[in-house]
Amino acid sequence: MENPLSPELLSQTIVAPILSMMLKTIAIETETHISNKGKSVTASQYRREGCVCVPGFLTDDEANSLRASCRRLVEEMDPTQHTPTIFSTSDHNQSRSSYFVDSGDKVHFFFEPEALDENSKLKVDKHRSLNKIGHALHWLVPEFKKVSFSTKMKAVARQLRFVSPAVVQSMYIFKQPGIGGEGQFMSCVGFWFALEDVTLENGCLWYSPGSHNNPTSRRFIRNPDETGDLTCFTAPPDPDDPTKYIPIPVPKGTLVLINGQVDHKSKKNTSPNSRHIYTFHVIERHDTTWDPRNWLQPTPEMPFTGLYENEP
Protein backbone atom coordinates (compact mmCIF):
# COMPACT_ATOMS: atom_id res chain seq x y z
CA MET A 1 0.00 0.00 0.00
CA GLU A 2 1.49 3.29 -1.10
CA ASN A 3 1.58 6.34 1.15
CA PRO A 4 -1.19 8.79 0.14
CA LEU A 5 1.23 11.70 0.34
CA SER A 6 2.96 12.74 -2.84
CA PRO A 7 6.74 12.17 -3.05
CA GLU A 8 7.23 15.93 -2.95
CA LEU A 9 5.17 16.34 0.21
CA LEU A 10 6.79 13.29 1.76
CA SER A 11 10.20 14.82 1.15
CA GLN A 12 9.17 18.01 2.92
CA THR A 13 7.28 16.55 5.85
CA ILE A 14 8.90 13.19 6.57
CA VAL A 15 12.00 12.40 4.60
CA ALA A 16 14.01 15.58 5.14
CA PRO A 17 13.68 15.58 8.95
CA ILE A 18 14.40 11.84 9.16
CA LEU A 19 17.41 12.04 6.89
CA SER A 20 18.70 15.02 8.84
CA MET A 21 18.37 13.04 12.06
CA MET A 22 20.10 10.03 10.51
CA LEU A 23 23.01 12.10 9.28
CA LYS A 24 23.52 13.45 12.79
CA THR A 25 23.70 9.95 14.26
CA ILE A 26 27.12 9.46 15.82
CA ALA A 27 28.98 6.68 14.07
CA ILE A 28 29.29 3.24 15.65
CA GLU A 29 32.66 2.49 17.20
CA THR A 30 35.25 1.50 14.60
CA GLU A 31 39.03 1.47 14.40
CA THR A 32 39.10 5.13 13.46
CA HIS A 33 36.26 6.52 15.55
CA ILE A 34 35.78 5.43 19.15
CA SER A 35 33.35 7.34 21.31
CA ASN A 36 31.65 6.14 24.45
CA LYS A 37 28.95 8.72 23.94
CA GLY A 38 28.49 7.67 20.34
CA LYS A 39 28.25 4.06 21.35
CA SER A 40 25.54 4.65 23.95
CA VAL A 41 23.45 6.85 21.64
CA THR A 42 23.59 4.37 18.76
CA ALA A 43 22.99 1.26 20.87
CA SER A 44 20.09 2.82 22.75
CA GLN A 45 18.37 3.86 19.52
CA TYR A 46 18.82 0.38 18.12
CA ARG A 47 17.35 -1.23 21.23
CA ARG A 48 14.49 1.25 21.35
CA GLU A 49 13.47 1.35 17.68
CA GLY A 50 15.01 -1.85 16.34
CA CYS A 51 16.76 0.00 13.54
CA VAL A 52 19.61 2.50 13.29
CA CYS A 53 21.49 4.14 10.41
CA VAL A 54 25.21 4.85 10.32
CA PRO A 55 26.04 7.10 7.35
CA GLY A 56 29.50 6.79 5.82
CA PHE A 57 30.17 3.35 7.29
CA LEU A 58 31.45 1.97 3.99
CA THR A 59 33.98 4.00 2.08
CA ASP A 60 33.38 4.80 -1.58
CA ASP A 61 36.10 2.31 -2.47
CA GLU A 62 34.41 -0.46 -0.46
CA ALA A 63 30.98 0.22 -1.96
CA ASN A 64 32.40 0.44 -5.48
CA SER A 65 34.36 -2.79 -5.05
CA LEU A 66 31.17 -4.69 -4.14
CA ARG A 67 29.34 -3.28 -7.14
CA ALA A 68 32.22 -4.12 -9.46
CA SER A 69 32.44 -7.64 -8.05
CA CYS A 70 28.73 -8.16 -8.54
CA ARG A 71 28.90 -6.88 -12.10
CA ARG A 72 31.67 -9.40 -12.77
CA LEU A 73 29.56 -12.23 -11.32
CA VAL A 74 26.63 -11.32 -13.55
CA GLU A 75 28.87 -10.89 -16.59
CA GLU A 76 30.27 -14.37 -16.06
CA MET A 77 26.86 -15.90 -15.34
CA ASP A 78 25.34 -17.97 -18.15
CA PRO A 79 21.55 -17.87 -17.60
CA THR A 80 21.16 -21.22 -19.36
CA GLN A 81 23.28 -22.86 -16.66
CA HIS A 82 21.03 -21.68 -13.81
CA THR A 83 17.51 -22.76 -13.01
CA PRO A 84 15.34 -19.74 -13.89
CA THR A 85 14.04 -19.11 -10.39
CA ILE A 86 11.93 -16.08 -9.60
CA PHE A 87 12.39 -14.54 -6.18
CA SER A 88 9.39 -12.81 -4.64
CA THR A 89 8.49 -12.04 -1.04
CA SER A 90 4.78 -11.94 -1.90
CA ASP A 91 3.95 -15.13 -3.83
CA HIS A 92 7.07 -17.18 -2.92
CA ASN A 93 7.47 -18.96 -6.24
CA GLN A 94 10.93 -20.02 -5.05
CA SER A 95 9.28 -22.26 -2.45
CA ARG A 96 8.93 -24.93 -5.12
CA SER A 97 12.56 -24.83 -6.21
CA SER A 98 15.51 -26.83 -4.89
CA TYR A 99 17.70 -24.18 -6.56
CA PHE A 100 16.55 -21.82 -3.80
CA VAL A 101 16.62 -24.28 -0.90
CA ASP A 102 20.13 -25.48 -1.81
CA SER A 103 21.59 -21.96 -2.17
CA GLY A 104 22.81 -21.49 1.41
CA ASP A 105 26.38 -22.50 0.59
CA LYS A 106 26.42 -21.30 -3.03
CA VAL A 107 26.17 -18.23 -5.22
CA HIS A 108 22.81 -18.49 -6.98
CA PHE A 109 20.95 -16.00 -9.15
CA PHE A 110 17.28 -15.13 -8.70
CA PHE A 111 15.24 -13.26 -11.28
CA GLU A 112 12.51 -10.63 -11.26
CA PRO A 113 9.10 -11.94 -12.38
CA GLU A 114 8.87 -9.35 -15.15
CA ALA A 115 12.28 -10.33 -16.55
CA LEU A 116 11.17 -13.77 -17.82
CA ASP A 117 8.73 -14.68 -20.54
CA GLU A 118 6.17 -17.49 -20.43
CA ASN A 119 8.90 -19.98 -21.31
CA SER A 120 11.17 -18.77 -18.49
CA LYS A 121 13.54 -17.16 -20.98
CA LEU A 122 15.08 -13.75 -20.37
CA LYS A 123 13.31 -10.92 -22.13
CA VAL A 124 15.62 -8.18 -20.83
CA ASP A 125 19.40 -7.84 -20.56
CA LYS A 126 20.71 -10.13 -17.84
CA HIS A 127 22.15 -7.18 -15.90
CA ARG A 128 18.59 -5.82 -15.64
CA SER A 129 16.92 -9.17 -14.95
CA LEU A 130 18.02 -10.11 -11.45
CA ASN A 131 16.22 -9.62 -8.16
CA LYS A 132 19.12 -10.83 -6.04
CA ILE A 133 22.18 -13.05 -5.73
CA GLY A 134 22.53 -15.28 -2.67
CA HIS A 135 23.26 -16.72 -0.24
CA ALA A 136 27.01 -17.30 0.36
CA LEU A 137 28.61 -14.19 -1.13
CA HIS A 138 30.12 -13.36 2.27
CA TRP A 139 32.28 -16.51 2.16
CA LEU A 140 32.77 -17.44 -1.49
CA VAL A 141 33.46 -14.07 -3.15
CA PRO A 142 36.65 -12.31 -1.94
CA GLU A 143 35.39 -8.73 -2.19
CA PHE A 144 32.31 -9.53 -0.13
CA LYS A 145 34.29 -11.58 2.38
CA LYS A 146 36.71 -8.67 2.87
CA VAL A 147 33.85 -6.34 3.84
CA SER A 148 31.79 -8.87 5.82
CA PHE A 149 34.61 -9.99 8.14
CA SER A 150 36.35 -6.64 8.50
CA THR A 151 37.46 -5.27 11.86
CA LYS A 152 34.71 -2.67 11.87
CA MET A 153 32.02 -5.34 11.39
CA LYS A 154 33.39 -7.19 14.39
CA ALA A 155 33.30 -3.93 16.39
CA VAL A 156 29.62 -3.43 15.54
CA ALA A 157 28.78 -6.97 16.64
CA ARG A 158 30.54 -6.39 19.97
CA GLN A 159 28.57 -3.19 20.50
CA LEU A 160 25.39 -5.16 19.88
CA ARG A 161 26.60 -7.53 22.65
CA PHE A 162 27.10 -10.59 20.49
CA VAL A 163 29.12 -13.27 22.26
CA SER A 164 29.58 -15.73 19.40
CA PRO A 165 28.05 -14.27 16.21
CA ALA A 166 27.89 -16.10 12.90
CA VAL A 167 26.99 -14.91 9.43
CA VAL A 168 24.29 -17.24 8.12
CA GLN A 169 23.47 -15.76 4.74
CA SER A 170 24.24 -12.83 2.46
CA MET A 171 22.54 -11.25 -0.51
CA TYR A 172 23.12 -8.67 -3.18
CA ILE A 173 19.74 -7.07 -3.92
CA PHE A 174 19.33 -5.11 -7.14
CA LYS A 175 15.89 -3.43 -6.95
CA GLN A 176 15.94 -2.98 -10.71
CA PRO A 177 14.58 0.28 -12.17
CA GLY A 178 10.98 -0.10 -13.26
CA ILE A 179 10.66 -3.81 -12.36
CA GLY A 180 12.31 -4.12 -8.94
CA GLY A 181 9.48 -5.55 -6.87
CA GLU A 182 8.29 -4.90 -3.34
CA GLY A 183 9.95 -6.71 -0.47
CA GLN A 184 9.01 -7.79 3.02
CA PHE A 185 11.78 -9.10 5.21
CA MET A 186 12.37 -11.18 8.30
CA SER A 187 15.88 -11.99 9.40
CA CYS A 188 18.21 -12.29 12.40
CA VAL A 189 20.16 -9.06 12.75
CA GLY A 190 20.50 -7.50 9.35
CA PHE A 191 23.60 -5.58 8.31
CA TRP A 192 22.27 -3.65 5.28
CA PHE A 193 24.58 -1.48 3.15
CA ALA A 194 23.58 1.14 0.58
CA LEU A 195 25.91 0.79 -2.40
CA GLU A 196 24.37 3.86 -4.04
CA ASP A 197 22.01 6.59 -2.88
CA VAL A 198 18.71 5.09 -1.70
CA THR A 199 15.60 7.24 -2.14
CA LEU A 200 11.83 7.08 -1.85
CA GLU A 201 11.58 6.71 -5.59
CA ASN A 202 14.05 3.84 -6.05
CA GLY A 203 12.76 1.72 -3.18
CA CYS A 204 14.19 2.71 0.20
CA LEU A 205 13.52 0.69 3.33
CA TRP A 206 10.47 1.40 5.47
CA TYR A 207 10.25 0.14 9.05
CA SER A 208 7.87 0.20 11.99
CA PRO A 209 9.78 1.59 15.01
CA GLY A 210 9.52 -0.59 18.10
CA SER A 211 7.66 -3.42 16.34
CA HIS A 212 10.31 -5.88 17.58
CA ASN A 213 8.67 -5.54 21.01
CA ASN A 214 5.70 -7.46 19.61
CA PRO A 215 7.53 -10.11 17.58
CA THR A 216 5.90 -12.35 15.04
CA SER A 217 5.70 -16.10 15.54
CA ARG A 218 5.60 -16.66 11.77
CA ARG A 219 8.54 -18.61 10.38
CA PHE A 220 9.71 -19.63 6.90
CA ILE A 221 10.59 -23.32 7.15
CA ARG A 222 11.30 -26.45 5.16
CA ASN A 223 7.95 -28.07 4.55
CA PRO A 224 7.50 -31.25 6.64
CA ASP A 225 4.90 -32.36 4.09
CA GLU A 226 7.02 -33.97 1.39
CA THR A 227 4.10 -33.93 -1.04
CA GLY A 228 3.88 -30.14 -1.02
CA ASP A 229 6.20 -27.23 -1.73
CA LEU A 230 9.73 -27.49 -0.40
CA THR A 231 9.21 -24.54 1.96
CA CYS A 232 6.25 -22.97 3.69
CA PHE A 233 5.23 -20.52 6.39
CA THR A 234 4.18 -21.68 9.83
CA ALA A 235 1.31 -19.16 10.05
CA PRO A 236 -0.59 -16.58 7.99
CA PRO A 237 0.83 -13.06 7.75
CA ASP A 238 0.41 -10.88 10.81
CA PRO A 239 -2.00 -7.93 10.55
CA ASP A 240 -0.10 -5.03 9.01
CA ASP A 241 -0.73 -1.34 9.68
CA PRO A 242 0.93 0.68 6.89
CA THR A 243 0.54 3.91 8.85
CA LYS A 244 3.16 2.74 11.37
CA TYR A 245 5.99 2.61 8.82
CA ILE A 246 8.48 5.39 8.24
CA PRO A 247 10.89 5.61 5.30
CA ILE A 248 14.66 5.66 5.67
CA PRO A 249 16.26 7.06 2.53
CA VAL A 250 20.03 7.01 2.99
CA PRO A 251 23.14 8.05 1.07
CA LYS A 252 25.65 5.66 -0.46
CA GLY A 253 27.88 3.96 2.13
CA THR A 254 25.27 3.93 4.92
CA LEU A 255 24.97 0.90 7.20
CA VAL A 256 21.43 0.17 8.36
CA LEU A 257 21.21 -2.23 11.31
CA ILE A 258 17.86 -3.99 11.51
CA ASN A 259 16.57 -6.16 14.34
CA GLY A 260 15.19 -9.31 12.75
CA GLN A 261 11.84 -8.91 14.53
CA VAL A 262 11.25 -5.36 13.29
CA ASP A 263 8.60 -5.11 10.60
CA HIS A 264 10.35 -3.72 7.53
CA LYS A 265 9.80 -3.69 3.80
CA SER A 266 10.54 -1.80 0.63
CA LYS A 267 8.33 -0.64 -2.20
CA LYS A 268 8.67 -1.11 -5.93
CA ASN A 269 11.38 0.86 -7.67
CA THR A 270 9.41 3.33 -9.79
CA SER A 271 12.44 5.39 -10.79
CA PRO A 272 14.84 5.05 -13.75
CA ASN A 273 17.67 4.41 -11.26
CA SER A 274 18.85 1.18 -9.67
CA ARG A 275 19.06 0.62 -5.91
CA HIS A 276 21.87 -1.82 -5.27
CA ILE A 277 22.46 -2.96 -1.71
CA TYR A 278 24.45 -5.68 0.06
CA THR A 279 23.16 -7.34 3.19
CA PHE A 280 24.15 -10.18 5.48
CA HIS A 281 22.39 -11.66 8.49
CA VAL A 282 24.01 -12.45 11.82
CA ILE A 283 22.84 -14.82 14.55
CA GLU A 284 24.00 -15.48 18.10
CA ARG A 285 25.36 -19.00 18.66
CA HIS A 286 26.07 -18.65 22.39
CA ASP A 287 23.50 -20.61 24.44
CA THR A 288 21.21 -20.89 21.41
CA THR A 289 20.10 -23.64 19.05
CA TRP A 290 19.37 -23.03 15.38
CA ASP A 291 15.85 -24.11 14.46
CA PRO A 292 16.18 -27.36 12.46
CA ARG A 293 12.97 -26.45 10.62
CA ASN A 294 14.36 -23.19 9.21
CA TRP A 295 14.59 -23.15 5.41
CA LEU A 296 18.27 -22.17 5.71
CA GLN A 297 20.51 -24.85 7.19
CA PRO A 298 24.31 -25.13 7.57
CA THR A 299 26.00 -27.74 5.43
CA PRO A 300 29.17 -29.84 5.88
CA GLU A 301 30.71 -27.82 3.06
CA MET A 302 29.87 -24.52 4.74
CA PRO A 303 28.82 -24.37 8.39
CA PHE A 304 27.57 -21.00 9.56
CA THR A 305 30.67 -18.81 9.52
CA GLY A 306 31.81 -17.24 12.79
CA LEU A 307 32.29 -13.49 12.58
CA TYR A 308 34.97 -13.06 15.24
CA GLU A 309 37.18 -16.02 14.38
CA ASN A 310 37.32 -15.54 10.62
CA GLU A 311 39.41 -12.96 8.78
CA PRO A 312 38.73 -11.17 5.49
Side-chain angles (χ1 to χ4, degrees), residues 120-263:
S120 296
K121 303 296 184 183
L122 286 183
K123 59 182 183 180
V124 298
D125 180 82
K126 67 179 179 179
H127 287 279
R128 295 284 299 272
S129 69
L130 292 166
N131 173 287
K132 73 172 187 176
I133 301 174
H135 290 96
L137 291 164
H138 64 283
W139 192 249
L140 299 179
V141 182
E143 294 86 348
F144 289 90
K145 186 176 183 181
K146 181 178 180 181
V147 168
S148 304
F149 293 91
S150 64
T151 300
K152 58 186 176 182
M153 298 303 170
K154 293 176 170 63
V156 171
R158 289 188 174 97
Q159 287 189 251
L160 296 179
R161 301 174 182 171
F162 276 102
V163 176
S164 180
V167 181
V168 296
Q169 68 169 349
S170 54
M171 296 172 282
Y172 191 105
I173 302 175
F174 293 86
K175 193 67 89 166
Q176 303 285 1
I179 63 172
E182 297 183 10
Q184 294 180 334
F185 309 100
M186 184 177 67
S187 64
C188 309
V189 174
F191 286 57
W192 189 102
F193 305 93
L195 303 184
E196 53 192 331
D197 291 344
V198 175
T199 68
L200 275 173
E201 293 75 24
N202 72 2
C204 71
L205 283 174
W206 294 67
Y207 81 106
S208 176
S211 52
H212 59 303
N213 295 316
N214 185 29
T216 183
S217 60
R218 191 178 192 231
R219 297 289 181 268
F220 188 45
I221 64 170
R222 298 195 178 202
N223 193 350
D225 180 1
E226 296 182 358
T227 65
D229 291 343
L230 295 178
T231 56
C232 64
F233 281 100
T234 58
D238 296 331
D240 191 36
D241 182 356
T243 65
K244 293 183 178 180
Y245 288 85
I246 62 173
I248 44 175
V250 294
K252 176 183 178 181
T254 299
L255 162 64
V256 182
L257 286 168
I258 312 168
N259 183 301
Q261 292 289 0
V262 163
D263 296 333

